[in-house]
């Protein structure tokens, strides 16, 4: 990556920082205002990134120049907006000289400056309106607050914060050092990006891998920006890393919105950060953390609307979060739907409970709620609509071809089938290294399924040809279980639903409402998504949504111990046991997170395959090391032949991305790769006689069928190539 590419890649990050200043809320009583500003900035920047891709794609202008101009323009606008906001804040903060009066030393006033104090984002459960200037605005002020917060924190809080911060920094290091090597990314995430770059637009293309065109591309849109700005994939892992950081910030803010103080927020971030699936995906080019981040953003904006009327800015944010979720991973809408229902009901309750006279005013309030709902859907449609329009035009259905609509969604919805599916998903999510426990649980589920007349391997409730059970305890980014975080969230949800007073007597309604949304999300997911061995990553968005309940419950448990009410010695002993148990669980969670990051697959820090000791090319093939030399062998033969137009022969789950790297033009331009097979009825494949060479993966017989007569075919175990006579 060139120095120019590095500078250009910093432009989106700088824009987010400037927007954080610009969008800092002004309303009185806003919770965790800095984190709310980050949410707004992230949504606005991501929505802009998606729309830039759509607009430039429609203009056939997906080029580095066009993207550079788009981002520099965006940076200029955000810089001007931030400057105007700061100037306005400074004017408000500084009263006219005629009314200035001495302030006693130690007095606390609004506005900042020497001898003053101003409200800032100190992580507390609620904060006053954003201060116009001073310590709450400046970088120095924020650093001062951070230092003071650390100084006043207890040892436990420091340990929690230090662990989270350490994991995030180590993940950043791994994300920067490791080459993209996720299996699905080799098959369709990254080839999708390369096709756009080669074409200069978003038109669909003939392909044997339908997921390259049918799966929502929101995360890949973000990767496309980095690909064009930097010229390569060196920073691709940072998209998921940034999404992971956003998940931590938003989950902590949700905890604050539900009444949690600093320790509860730290506990929430700790549980989430030490979850192996989160730690591993934060260094990946998968898409699950990106989806989870948009779901969490929708959740925190919805909670803002439980007790006050939603303004236009928040409505736009909810629309952007909904659209970004839909364009990234449609399964995330399983959570966004109940969240929006909760928002609508809360807004209607506020209208009906208002002290204004009944009649016209209340009718107008209901109308504004309906109008706000329509606005949310319209904004979401602007973000995801162009992609859905292309899919509908290509396949006649917004959800894609029948093979996609039937492979992942449940095809049976009777209670018995849903129960069996839910039990299997739970078994995989809560898997542990204890083999006998796994076998006993699986046998019980299989036996119970037979007893109620459901085949536990029924294709209508099971993805593809997979067979339940499948071990999921190993720290692999695609399937690792989360028994600790899952158990804590279930307990937290149960307590919030049944006994919310134990968590916070002042938050009974919000706690119950949020717990209902979490449980509804889990129920809908198990009713709509088939069991599959890598289903744990598909439900990651629900885990991120639920983790605040775990943090709140843990904090309440610790609070009852550290502030014991009058009681018997037996009660105190039980509290002590509960506290020790909680501390043990947290320590185990920390150990799981550290081990996952250290030894997890396929980007580990130590041992065989370490990102510190493994070459760039071998790192890409840690999933299938035996293929690394085969791809190089075939690509070298094709390059030496002087071929320009190269045909692809592959099956639905084969790796395509290595060809885009190995066959790139000498000047760095994209190779001309064309598919010789196509699963898109309206996109016929290229004629084999029209290409200069053929590269194949997977099946030698399938390759041989497409090789023209007289061509020379060479094939190893997984990779092959074919050249015409004389080459």
């Amino acid at each position: 990556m060139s120095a120019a590419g590095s500078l250009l890649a910093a432009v989106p990050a700088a824009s987010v920082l400037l927007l954080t200043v610009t969008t800092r809320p002004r309303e009185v009583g806003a919770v965790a205002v800095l984190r709310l500003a980050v949410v707004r900035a992230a949504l606005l920047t991501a929505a802009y990134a998606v729309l830039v891709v759509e607009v430039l794609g429609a203009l056939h202008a997906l080029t580095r120049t066009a993207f550079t101009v788009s981002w520099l323009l965006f940076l200029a606008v955000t810089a001007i907006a931030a400057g105007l906001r700061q100037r306005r804040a400074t004017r408000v903060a500084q009263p006219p000289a005629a009314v200035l009066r001495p302030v006693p030393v130690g007095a606390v006033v609004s506005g900042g400056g020497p001898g003053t104090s101003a409200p800032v984002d100190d992580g507390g459960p609620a904060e006053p309106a954003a201060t116009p200037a001073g310590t709450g605005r400046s970088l120095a002020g924020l650093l001062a607050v951070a230092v003071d917060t650390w100084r006043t924190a207890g040892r436990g809080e420091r340990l929690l914060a230090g662990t989270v911060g350490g994991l995030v920094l180590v993940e950043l290091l791994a994300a920067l050092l490791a080459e993209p090597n996720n299996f699905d990314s080799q098959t369709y995430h990254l080839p999708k990006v390369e096709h756009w770059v080669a074409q200069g637009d978003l038109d669909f293309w003939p392909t044997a891998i339908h997921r390259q065109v049918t799966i929502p591309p929101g995360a890949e849109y973000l990767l496309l920006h980095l690909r064009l700005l930097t010229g390569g994939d060196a920073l691709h892992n940072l998209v998921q890393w940034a999404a992971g950081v956003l998940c931590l910030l938003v989950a902590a803010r949700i905890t604050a919105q539900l009444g949690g103080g600093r320790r509860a927020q730290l506990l929430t971030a700790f549980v989430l950060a030490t979850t192996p699936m989160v730690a591993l995906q934060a260094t990946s080019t998968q898409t699950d953390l990106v989806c989870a981040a948009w779901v969490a953003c929708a959740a925190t904006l919805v909670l803002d609307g439980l007790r006050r009327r939603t303004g236009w800015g928040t409505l736009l944010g909810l629309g952007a979060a909904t659209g970004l979720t839909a364009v990234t991973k449609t399964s995330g809408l399983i959570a966004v739907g109940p969240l929006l229902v909760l928002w609508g009901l809360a807004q209607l309750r506020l209208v009906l409970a208002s002290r204004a006279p009944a009649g016209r005013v209340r009718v107008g309030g209901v109308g504004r709620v309906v109008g706000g709902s329509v606005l949310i859907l319209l904004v979401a449609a602007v973000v995801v609509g162009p992609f859905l329009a292309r899919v509908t035009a290509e396949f006649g259905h917004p959800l894609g071809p029948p093979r996609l609509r039937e492979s992942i969604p449940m095809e049976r919805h009777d209670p018995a089938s849903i129960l069996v599916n839910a039990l299997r998903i739970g078994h995989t999510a809560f898997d542990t290294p204890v083999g006998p426990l796994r076998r006993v649980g699986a046998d019980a589920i299989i036996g119970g399924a037979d007893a109620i007349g459901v085949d536990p391997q029924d294709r209508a409730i099971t993805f593809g040809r997979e067979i339940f059970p499948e071990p999921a305890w190993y720290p692999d980014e695609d399937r690792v279980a989360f028994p600790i975080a899952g158990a804590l969230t279930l307990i937290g949800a149960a307590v919030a639903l049944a006994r919310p007073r134990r968590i916070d007597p002042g938050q009974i309604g919000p706690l119950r409402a949020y717990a209902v949304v979490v449980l509804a999300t889990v129920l809908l997911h198990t009713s709509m998504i088939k069991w599959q061995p890598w289903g744990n990553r598909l439900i990651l968005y629900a885990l991120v949504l639920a983790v605040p309940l775990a943090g709140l419950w843990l904090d309440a448990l610790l609070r009852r111990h550290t502030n014991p009410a009058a009681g018997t010695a037996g009660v105190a002993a039980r509290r002590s046991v509960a506290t020790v148990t909680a501390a043990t669980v947290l320590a185990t969670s920390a150990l799981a997170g550290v081990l996952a990051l250290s030894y997890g697959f396929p980007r580990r820090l130590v041992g065989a395959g370490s990102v510190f000791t493994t070459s760039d090319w071998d790192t890409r093939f840690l999933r299938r090391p035996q293929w690394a030399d085969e791809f190089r062998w075939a690509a070298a033969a094709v390059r030496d032949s002087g071929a320009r137009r190269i045909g692809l022969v592959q099956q639905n789950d084969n790796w395509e991305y290595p060809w885009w790297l190995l066959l790139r033009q000498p000047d760095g331009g994209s190779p001309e790769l064309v598919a010789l097979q196509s699963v898109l009825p309206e996109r016929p494949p290229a004629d084999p006689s029209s290409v200069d060479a053929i590269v194949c993966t997977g099946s030698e017989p399938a390759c041989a069928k497409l090789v023209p007569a007289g061509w020379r075919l060479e094939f190893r175990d997984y990779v092959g190539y074919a050249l015409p006579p004389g080459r």
Side-chain angles (χ1 to χ4, degrees):
M1 182 174 62
S2 64
S6 301
L7 291 175
L8 289 175
V11 173
S15 300
V16 171
L17 293 176
L18 290 170
L19 281 173
T20 300
V21 174
T22 306
T23 61
R24 192 176 173 103
R26 303 175 183 174
E27 57 266 25
V28 175
V31 176
V33 292
L34 183 57
R35 278 169 276 170
L36 177 56
V38 171
V39 168
R40 292 174 173 178
L43 290 173
L44 184 56
T45 304
Y48 175 79
V50 169
L51 294 178
V52 164
V53 172
E54 292 290 358
V55 171
L56 294 181
L59 297 174
H60 305 281
L62 297 180
T63 65
R64 186 182 192 186
T65 299
F67 273 63
T68 299
V69 171
S70 299
W71 277 111
L72 291 177
L73 178 62
F74 190 66
L75 179 65
V77 171
T78 56
I80 293 172
L84 292 175
R85 177 71 186 271
Q86 286 292 86
R87 185 179 303 175
R88 187 182 306 114
T90 302
R91 286 201 303 267
V92 172
Q94 298 296 333
V99 298
L100 286 176
R101 291 180 173 83
V103 179
V105 176
V108 177
V109 298
S110 167
T116 67
S117 172
V120 292
D121 185 29
D122 63 358
E127 298 158 2
T131 49
T135 59
R137 292 288 182 192
S138 66
L139 178 60
L142 293 176
L143 290 175
V145 170
V147 171
D148 184 66
T149 300
W150 181 264
R151 182 179 57 81
T152 59
R155 284 183 299 176
E157 292 176 341
R158 290 183 181 183
L159 183 60
L160 293 172
T163 302
V164 173
L167 287 173
V168 168
L169 291 177
V170 174
E171 288 162 5
L172 175 60
L173 178 64
L176 290 171
L177 290 177
E179 303 298 315
N181 61 0
N182 172 262
F183 194 102
D184 284 348
S185 296
Q186 307 281 3
T187 300
Y188 68 96
H189 290 310
L190 300 185
K192 187 185 301 187
V193 174
E194 295 301 324
H195 277 286
W196 294 332
V197 173
Q199 297 177 173
D201 58 42
L202 300 174
D203 291 346
F204 291 161
W205 52 89
T207 179
I209 303 173
H210 77 88
R211 292 174 293 173
Q212 290 183 358
V213 296
T214 57
I215 299 293
E220 291 89 341
Y221 281 175
L222 303 181
L223 292 176
L224 176 61
H225 286 269
L226 291 177
R227 168 66 175 85
L228 287 172
L229 293 176
T230 66
D233 60 12
L235 301 183
H236 278 9
N237 292 331
L238 293 186
V239 171
Q240 279 262 109
W241 178 82
V245 173
L246 184 57
C247 285
L248 294 176
L249 294 174
V250 180
R253 182 173 191 263
I254 291 173
T255 305
Q257 290 172 289
L258 295 173
R262 185 169 63 191
R263 184 175 61 187
Q265 295 170 54
L266 287 172
L267 285 167
T268 295
F270 179 89
V271 172
L272 186 59
T274 56
T275 299
M277 177 68 76
V278 174
L280 291 170
Q281 285 227 8
T283 64
S284 171
T285 46
Q286 263 293 7
T287 63
D288 304 288
L289 272 179
V290 178
C291 174
W294 305 139
V295 171
C297 287
T300 195
L301 295 179
V302 164
L303 288 178
D304 279 338
L306 293 189
R307 288 178 173 167
R308 61 168 173 257
R309 301 289 294 276
T310 299
W312 294 110
T314 301
L315 290 173
L316 294 174
L318 282 170
T322 302
L324 289 169
T325 301
V327 80
T328 301
K329 215 174 187 71
T330 50
S331 57
L333 295 176
I334 294 173
V336 174
L339 284 168
L340 292 180
V341 170
L342 174 62
W343 171 84
L345 293 176
Q347 291 293 293
L348 288 175
R349 181 185 63 82
L350 291 174
V351 170
L352 298 178
S354 65
R355 297 181 180 180
R360 183 181 304 174
V361 175
R362 289 189 178 179
V363 171
V366 172
R368 283 192 293 273
V369 174
V370 174
S373 302
V374 173
L375 178 61
I376 292 172
L377 296 178
L378 287 176
V379 173
V382 169
V383 175
V384 71
F387 168 71
L388 293 181
R390 289 193 299 275
V391 173
T392 303
E394 189 73 29
F395 302 106
H397 195 286
L399 297 182
R403 65 183 301 175
L404 178 63
R405 302 198 304 270
E406 296 169 1
S407 61
I408 297 178
M410 287 274 285
E411 298 176 78
R412 290 180 56 179
H413 297 91
D414 56 285
S417 297
I418 292 174
L419 176 61
V420 172
N421 194 54
L423 291 174
R424 294 183 305 166
I425 290 175
H427 180 274
T428 304
F430 287 84
D431 191 23
T432 69
V434 184
L437 181 62
R438 180 189 313 117
R439 289 191 294 270
V440 169
D443 291 343
I445 293 172
I446 293 173
D450 291 337
I452 59 177
V454 177
D455 179 3
Q457 316 300 347
D458 186 354
R459 296 303 101 188
I461 61 174
T462 305
F463 179 84
R465 300 178 180 178
E466 305 301 326
I467 301 296
F468 173 83
E470 184 73 22
W473 65 268
Y474 185 80
D476 183 297
E477 67 175 354
D478 285 337
R479 63 177 66 198
V480 63
F482 35 81
I484 297 176
L488 292 175
T489 55
L490 284 181
I491 295 172
V495 174
L497 190 63
R499 297 186 176 182
R501 291 183 181 276
R502 289 195 171 188
I503 296 176
D504 190 338
Q507 297 282 343
I508 293 176
L511 282 169
R512 277 183 171 157
Y514 193 77
V516 167
V517 167
V518 168
L519 294 176
T521 297
V522 174
L523 177 60
L524 288 172
H525 183 97
T526 56
S527 302
M528 300 173 67
I529 306 296
K530 293 177 179 177
W531 174 87
Q532 48 196 285
W534 43 88
N536 289 340
R537 68 177 181 81
L538 300 184
I539 204 170
L540 184 58
Y541 71 93
L543 179 69
V544 173
L545 189 70
V547 158
L549 297 176
L552 289 164
W553 173 71
L554 286 170
D555 180 64
L557 183 67
L558 296 173
R559 188 171 62 245
R560 287 198 302 272
H561 172 66
T562 54
N563 298 289
T568 64
V571 172
R574 287 194 298 271
R575 284 172 176 162
S576 180
V577 170
T579 302
V580 171
T581 302
T584 303
V585 169
L586 291 175
T588 305
S589 182
L591 179 62
V594 171
L595 290 177
L597 197 54
S598 301
Y599 295 96
F601 203 70
R603 288 168 304 282
R604 56 178 43 170
L605 300 178
V606 297
S610 166
V611 297
F612 296 109
T613 60
T614 308
S615 69
D616 293 349
W617 186 251
D618 289 336
T619 297
R620 295 181 185 276
F621 284 85
L622 284 175
R623 284 285 188 192
R624 298 292 186 272
Q626 67 273 23
W627 295 350
D629 290 338
E630 293 191 22
F631 270 98
R632 275 181 162 171
W633 160 75
V638 171
R639 285 197 310 270
D640 292 343
S641 73
R644 302 287 295 177
R645 181 176 166 88
I646 303 163
L648 288 174
V649 178
Q650 54 196 1
Q651 287 73 58
N652 185 56
D653 207 30
N654 289 173
W655 285 19
E656 179 181 314
Y657 186 58
W659 298 126
W660 291 97
L661 298 173
L662 291 168
L663 299 175
R664 190 167 289 179
Q665 300 294 332
D667 61 357
S670 298
E672 186 179 0
L673 298 178
V674 296
L676 302 185
Q677 310 141 291
S678 179
V679 294
L680 277 65
E682 304 300 322
R683 309 277 174 172
D687 188 332
S689 63
S690 70
V691 301
D692 303 323
I694 296 174
V695 291
C696 312
T697 51
S699 169
E700 182 176 2
C703 183
K705 290 180 181 178
L706 293 169
V707 174
W711 284 40
R712 174 170 58 92
L713 173 62
E714 300 285 344
F715 209 96
R716 291 188 178 178
D717 291 335
Y718 180 76
V719 177
Y721 69 91
L723 295 173
R727 285 188 179 268

